[in-house]
Amino acid sequence: MVKREDLLRPEMNEVVKEVREMRMKISEKCGHDLNRLLAYYQKRGEELRKSGKYKFADPEPPGEKAVPTESTRGEAAD
């Protein structure tokens, strides 16, 4: 976990600056169009996943909704 003090270090400021510059370049490349930007990131993610160089955490499949208990229905619990 990153500590607040670490984020204030000058070298971290440079990293943040670089990340923001790259994000702006990508956004410009996509014409600042949200749909094109989303498509770009999805395609890039698929390319990185297929490369096998990186590990990805897959989202958990949606499960069945839990049935609320009596106490969550606004009633007082015993």
Side-chain angles (χ1 to χ4, degrees):
M1 182 169 193
V2 178
K3 295 180 182 176
R4 178 170 161 63
E5 298 82 36
D6 293 338
L7 294 174
L8 298 175
R9 294 188 349 230
E11 54 270 15
M12 284 303 293
N13 289 336
E14 290 302 313
V15 171
V16 171
K17 182 180 175 183
E18 183 179 349
V19 168
R20 288 179 177 165
E21 287 173 0
M22 291 304 298
R23 287 176 53 205
M24 183 56 70
K25 287 179 184 179
I26 293 168
S27 182
E28 287 171 357
K29 180 180 176 181
C30 295
H32 302 292
D33 180 283
L34 184 58
N35 291 322
R36 287 177 55 197
L37 193 59
L38 179 60
Y40 170 85
Y41 282 121
Q42 287 174 334
K43 181 181 177 187
R44 188 69 181 122
E46 289 172 9
E47 292 169 353
L48 291 171
R49 188 180 293 268
K50 287 179 183 177
S51 75
K53 187 175 179 181
Y54 303 96
K55 291 183 179 182
F56 287 80
D58 291 318
E60 293 182 20
E64 295 181 20
K65 288 187 175 182
V67 177
T69 61
E70 293 296 320
S71 61
T72 61
R73 293 184 184 158
E75 300 170 359
D78 291 336

